[in-house]
Amino acid sequence: MPQFLNSTSADFEARFTELLSMKREDSPDVDAAVAEIIADVRARGDQAVIDLTSKFDRMDLTPATLRFSEAEIEAECAKVSDADRAALELAADRIRAYHSRQMPEDQRWTDESGADLGWRWSAVSAAGLYVPGGLASYPSSVLMNAIPAKVAGVERLAITVPTPGGIANPLVLLAARIAGVDEIYRIGGAQAVAALAYGTDTIVPVDKITGPGNAFVAAAKRRVFGKVGIDMIAGPSEILVIADADNEPDWLALDLMSQAEHDESAQSILITTDEAFGHKVADAVTARLETLERRDIAGASWRDYGAIITVRDLDEAATLSNRIAPEHLELCVADPEALSDKCVHAGAIFLGQFTPEAIGDYVGGPNHVLPTARSARFSSGLSVMDFLKRTTLARMTPGALAAIGPAAETLAISESLEAHGLSVRARLDALND
Amino acid sequence: MPQFLNSTSADFEARFTELLSMKREDSPDVDAAVAEIIADVRARGDQAVIDLTSKFDRMDLTPATLRFSEAEIEAECAKVSDADRAALELAADRIRAYHSRQMPEDQRWTDESGADLGWRWSAVSAAGLYVPGGLASYPSSVLMNAIPAKVAGVERLAITVPTPGGIANPLVLLAARIAGVDEIYRIGGAQAVAALAYGTDTIVPVDKITGPGNAFVAAAKRRVFGKVGIDMIAGPSEILVIADADNEPDWLALDLMSQAEHDESAQSILITTDEAFGHKVADAVTARLETLERRDIAGASWRDYGAIITVRDLDEAATLSNRIAPEHLELCVADPEALSDKCVHAGAIFLGQFTPEAIGDYVGGPNHVLPTARSARFSSGLSVMDFLKRTTLARMTPGALAAIGPAAETLAISESLEAHGLSVRARLDALND
């Protein structure tokens, strides 16, 4: 059973604060091991990657087989059913359409001093995408990472995906192909991140690395950050559902379980204006947990981190939602738009009872890589912006320099940066001659 | 003397690669000390901050004096000369005008399936800005960090600035006031970062921390990242000037020195199409180094990391510039716009000989917090985007769910995420009833 809270209880604030500060993740400290792996790959390149792959993935590779050949990719893709292929293509089309609208515009203007100002966006030249192997090898995540990169204009996009024992996931390879990925390497772990960041004889280094992974991958991404850009380090998944009593309890139970089934550390919370309805949802969860394939995982998550909170009204629900800053926020109320306007800290909002969160995981269009652990207070989901950078532009005319240069000189002197001031003064003097 | 390279030399590639990979920063490892400071602030709050301030800044504070009072700020601001005040106000107006154009638009649309999609930007609720004390206490940096935050709509903006021995910098306080900063605390170091991230009885925690600082501050920002957002960890400053022979050597010498005077680890590079002109600039630097106030710092930077590179033509200059990915790029050539189009990896570009980089440090309008150490390959300067986050929105109609839901179900099943699939299926079945 999850926790039941009621905002009218005397102990509510204490219990809610405790819920907020629950530590759900217990990452093993693999930093020292990861530092060694990275140093090894930097020193020995391909051979280190090959040795580590043999050790961790029971795969014997050579420099020539590190990368999937076109024929191998073809052969794997041919194993995918027509239905799965069509679903991936529909998802890819919708994700591409959504993310294409994110492309920002360059700007350029001349201000009243005559200064010509602006900025220009450009794509990262090369990006690497880490794809986990085994159970957490999700083709949908390949689409969600690769498509924004390609929409941004990344010329070279490489994927690494471990194939323990030589087993590849055909759907992952097909998703990569559909998304326009250029290179696929059958390696994983910290060694894959190190190879992408520093390069080997076979793998040309990239400028940015994104994608989920286990503790080794996360530690490696933290360590190579600076040498390359990285996306966020994602924590366990979360959903917050805000619902009035006018909902089908079983639907919401399934939405709550669709996060809980990811991971025992996932967190599913229901906020409702009707306590009795909250209990109906809890009962529906209990019923579903009897048969769900992943009932052990989902059940543990629901028992340890699940919560059903009864509130006085939807304004209170919005206030609590902003304190939670959920990764996923589902608004199953009569006027979800009005409630949405009050929920300012959330990674993704799903409006109305016909928008289960799972739609957003696959085919909605928005990205499913979203800020976890309350970081929606200050960060956003993955987007084309993660594969772009902005160069600012400034061009002074002699007139503009005459107008604003003296203020720059004054400030330079006040900061004791004489050469800064002189670089402006020398030009101003020439203009005055 | 700096290094002289020529792209036609047999050893050029080796020497250029070496120049690119020069390690200029030697950060002391203060991580263990910083971990202790953060733990102390989390455990003892205000009293820890007070004790650490007494120890490091020789200042005895109480909870009541941690924060500058309005009267104290007024008194400090009154010390600023009219000329300095006018220069700060001009700079603030121009920075505000530039950054106001960066505000991104929300989007909302209905696609052909009937799905209503979009996103919404919102500001971080509270931000903290670290301002160094002593020599590196730059009022211009206060403007460059605080104005984008306020343009973004950050409601609560707090500054921490150490005042060793009780000495405040009136210009820093005035810059904070002009920029609309809400709270100013006279604390610094890792303890200030910890107080901003975790809060104390006196200091309410923030969601995002930006601003430059020493090794302690940088290590503290890395450690609190995740609990709050942070901006980049900046390295030593850099400038690349690309110039033809039709320039005044002394102007370019001053531009090169305006980076070199920041820090012995700064790097100033000139790329020119005319070797003789390169030597003229080197001579001009030598002449300026005789009298510059910061000649010891600037001279060391120029000697250890400076370089003058002669290239065959401007295309080659652009290619090298993209490999360097400079923080600041000055284009002093006949057609700077054309050259600029080829320079895709740079933090900020200054076009033409009347745009010394120092203009961008103070009054140009663009931000002077820019990516260093080749990170312009994958990141951008500070902007209003750093104080905003995006929430994606999706709303399915029954028709839209019927159109795209089956594909989501198919993908969920292929990923063995049964509850995901069922959350869609339960709704589809209800629609079919």
Side-chain angles (χ1 to χ4, degrees), chain A residues 145-214:
Chain A
N145 280 271
I147 291 174
K150 281 294 175 183
V151 168
V154 171
E155 276 183 33
R156 183 178 153 250
L157 179 58
I159 277 189
T160 64
V161 57
T163 57
I167 312 288
N169 180 340
L171 279 162
V172 161
L173 297 181
L174 180 59
R177 170 144 292 187
I178 290 171
V181 169
D182 302 290
E183 304 162 14
I184 309 177
Y185 299 93
R186 55 184 119 223
I187 59 176
Q191 59 272 23
V193 175
L196 288 171
Y198 289 98
T200 68
D201 285 344
T202 302
I203 304 173
V204 179
V206 302
D207 303 302
K208 175 114 189 182
I209 299 176
T210 71
N214 63 16

Side-chain angles (χ1 to χ4, degrees), chain A residues 407-432:
Chain A
E409 185 187 22
T410 298
L411 291 171
I413 292 168
S414 81
E415 293 185 353
S416 302
L417 293 171
E418 187 192 16
H420 284 67
L422 288 172
S423 73
V424 176
R425 173 49 49 198
R427 288 160 165 102
L428 291 176
D429 286 347
L431 292 175
N432 290 334

Side-chain angles (χ1 to χ4, degrees), chain A residues 71-345:
Chain A
E72 287 169 327
I73 297 170
E74 282 295 341
E76 290 293 336
C77 289
K79 298 176 185 169
V80 176
S81 74
D82 286 349
D84 282 350
R85 180 185 293 264
L88 271 182
E89 280 172 353
L90 182 144
D93 287 346
R94 294 187 57 85
I95 296 164
R96 197 176 291 114
Y98 183 94
H99 287 78
S100 294
R101 291 182 179 246
Q102 290 179 331
M103 279 299 283
E105 304 254 317
D106 295 347
Q107 279 209 42
R108 202 72 187 269
W109 67 93
T110 303
D111 73 12
E112 64 291 349
S113 77
D116 188 343
L117 300 171
W119 63 79
R120 198 175 62 199
W121 292 93
S122 58
V124 165
S125 293
L129 162 55
Y130 189 90
V131 180
L135 250 192
S137 180
Y138 296 138
S140 58
S141 288
V142 174
L143 299 181
M144 291 292 180
N145 280 271
I147 291 174
K150 281 294 175 183
V151 168
V154 171
E155 276 183 33
R156 183 178 153 250
L157 179 58
I159 277 189
T160 64
V161 57
T163 57
I167 312 288
N169 180 340
L171 279 162
V172 161
L173 297 181
L174 180 59
R177 170 144 292 187
I178 290 171
V181 169
D182 302 290
E183 304 162 14
I184 309 177
Y185 299 93
R186 55 184 119 223
I187 59 176
Q191 59 272 23
V193 175
L196 288 171
Y198 289 98
T200 68
D201 285 344
T202 302
I203 304 173
V204 179
V206 302
D207 303 302
K208 175 114 189 182
I209 299 176
T210 71
N214 63 16
F216 283 83
V217 172
K221 282 170 67 181
R222 276 188 196 275
R223 281 206 161 254
V224 301
F225 175 55
K227 168 71 181 169
V228 299
I230 63 168
D231 62 343
M232 69 195 87
I233 308 278
S237 195
E238 311 146 9
I239 188 169
L240 171 61
V241 179
I242 301 180
D244 55 29
D246 192 16
N247 276 281
E248 174 55 58
D250 182 53
W251 297 4
L252 304 195
L254 286 165
D255 299 345
L256 294 166
M257 287 307 98
S258 70
Q259 292 312 297
E261 73 176 346
H262 270 294
D263 190 340
E264 293 183 1
S265 306
Q267 184 167 48
S268 303
I269 300 178
L270 171 69
I271 296 183
T272 179
T273 44
D274 186 306
E275 188 156 22
F277 178 76
H279 283 280
K280 281 186 203 165
V281 174
D283 292 343
V285 169
T286 302
R288 285 290 186 178
L289 278 175
E290 286 178 17
T291 58
L292 269 187
E293 284 164 17
R294 294 188 179 227
R295 56 185 170 273
D296 290 348
I297 294 171
S301 158
W302 184 237
R303 178 192 69 224
D304 294 340
Y305 305 115
I308 295 181
I309 305 173
T310 304
V311 292
R312 294 177 185 85
D313 53 37
L314 292 178
D315 277 346
E316 195 171 34
T319 301
L320 297 183
S321 175
N322 285 331
R323 290 177 65 187
I324 294 170
E327 181 190 12
H328 304 101
L329 175 59
E330 223 178 89
L331 303 181
C332 299
V333 296
D335 187 352
E337 296 286 346
L339 181 55
S340 158
D341 287 342
K342 295 174 189 162
C343 296
V344 290
H345 306 310

Side-chain angles (χ1 to χ4, degrees), chain B residues 67 156-160 181-185 202-204:
Chain B
R67 180 171 168 184
R156 181 178 154 249
L157 179 58
I159 277 188
T160 63
V181 169
D182 301 290
E183 303 162 13
I184 309 177
Y185 299 93
T202 303
I203 303 173
V204 178

Side-chain angles (χ1 to χ4, degrees), chain A residues 28-74:
Chain A
D29 186 3
V30 298
D31 197 50
V34 164
E36 257 180 57
I37 290 171
I38 293 174
D40 192 20
V41 172
R42 291 185 69 176
R44 297 196 301 129
D46 281 339
Q47 196 53 53
V49 174
I50 288 167
D51 292 348
L52 290 159
T53 303
S54 172
K55 178 176 167 187
F56 292 119
D57 296 339
R58 308 172 309 284
M59 280 278 291
D60 288 321
L61 297 173
T62 66
T65 58
L66 277 176
R67 181 173 167 182
F68 277 95
S69 70
E70 282 304 301
E72 287 169 327
I73 297 170
E74 282 295 341

Side-chain angles (χ1 to χ4, degrees), chain B residues 37-38 41 48-49 52-53 56-57 187-196 200 220:
Chain B
I37 290 171
I38 293 174
V41 172
V49 174
L52 290 159
T53 303
F56 292 120
D57 296 338
I187 59 176
Q191 58 273 22
V193 175
L196 287 171
T200 68

Side-chain angles (χ1 to χ4, degrees), chain B residues 71-421:
Chain B
E72 288 168 326
I73 297 170
E74 282 294 341
E76 290 293 335
C77 290
K79 297 176 185 170
V80 176
S81 73
D82 287 350
D84 283 351
R85 179 185 293 263
L88 271 182
E89 281 172 351
L90 182 144
D93 287 347
R94 294 188 57 86
I95 296 164
R96 197 176 291 115
Y98 183 94
H99 288 78
S100 294
R101 291 182 178 247
Q102 292 179 330
M103 279 299 282
E105 305 252 317
D106 295 347
Q107 279 208 44
R108 201 72 188 270
W109 67 94
T110 303
D111 71 15
E112 64 290 350
S113 78
D116 188 343
L117 300 170
W119 63 79
R120 197 175 63 198
W121 292 94
S122 58
V124 165
S125 293
L129 162 56
Y130 189 90
V131 181
L135 250 191
S137 178
Y138 296 138
S140 58
S141 289
V142 175
L143 299 181
M144 292 291 181
N145 280 272
I147 290 173
K150 279 295 175 183
V151 168
V154 172
E155 274 183 35
R156 181 178 154 249
L157 179 58
I159 277 188
T160 63
V161 55
T163 56
I167 312 288
N169 180 341
L171 278 161
V172 161
L173 297 180
L174 181 58
R177 170 145 292 190
I178 290 171
V181 169
D182 301 290
E183 303 162 13
I184 309 177
Y185 299 93
R186 55 185 119 221
I187 59 176
Q191 58 273 22
V193 175
L196 287 171
Y198 290 98
T200 68
D201 285 345
T202 303
I203 303 173
V204 178
V206 302
D207 303 302
K208 175 116 189 181
I209 299 176
T210 72
N214 63 16
F216 283 83
V217 172
K221 281 170 67 181
R222 277 188 195 275
R223 280 203 163 257
V224 301
F225 174 55
K227 168 72 182 166
V228 299
I230 63 168
D231 62 343
M232 68 195 87
I233 307 278
S237 194
E238 312 147 8
I239 188 170
L240 171 61
V241 179
I242 301 179
D244 57 28
D246 193 18
N247 276 282
E248 174 56 57
D250 182 53
W251 295 5
L252 303 195
L254 287 166
D255 298 346
L256 294 166
M257 288 306 99
S258 71
Q259 291 313 296
E261 74 177 347
H262 270 295
D263 189 339
E264 292 183 2
S265 306
Q267 183 167 49
S268 303
I269 300 177
L270 171 69
I271 296 183
T272 179
T273 45
D274 186 306
E275 188 155 24
F277 177 75
H279 283 280
K280 280 186 202 164
V281 173
D283 292 344
V285 169
T286 303
R288 285 290 184 178
L289 279 175
E290 286 178 18
T291 58
L292 270 186
E293 284 164 17
R294 293 187 179 228
R295 57 186 170 273
D296 290 347
I297 293 170
S301 157
W302 184 236
R303 178 192 69 222
D304 294 340
Y305 305 115
I308 295 180
I309 305 174
T310 304
V311 291
R312 294 177 185 85
D313 54 37
L314 292 179
D315 278 346
E316 194 171 35
T319 301
L320 297 183
S321 174
N322 284 332
R323 290 177 64 187
I324 294 170
E327 181 189 13
H328 304 100
L329 175 60
E330 223 178 89
L331 303 180
C332 298
V333 296
D335 187 352
E337 296 286 345
L339 181 56
S340 157
D341 287 342
K342 296 174 188 165
C343 297
V344 290
H345 305 310
I349 298 183
F350 303 87
L351 298 147
Q353 60 179 342
F354 289 104
T355 318
E357 183 278 328
I359 283 292
D361 282 336
Y362 297 112
V363 296
N367 212 285
H368 79 197
V369 181
L370 293 165
T372 58
R374 307 189 59 227
S375 63
R377 291 175 297 124
F378 55 80
S379 63
S380 312
L382 198 72
S383 77
V384 297
M385 309 292 281
D386 290 282
F387 300 97
L388 295 168
K389 65 266 187 336
R390 189 186 50 247
T391 299
T392 62
L393 301 166
R395 180 174 194 167
M396 299 297 128
T397 58
L401 190 70
I404 69 174
E409 185 188 22
T410 298
L411 291 171
I413 292 169
S414 81
E415 293 184 354
S416 301
L417 292 171
E418 187 192 15
H420 284 67

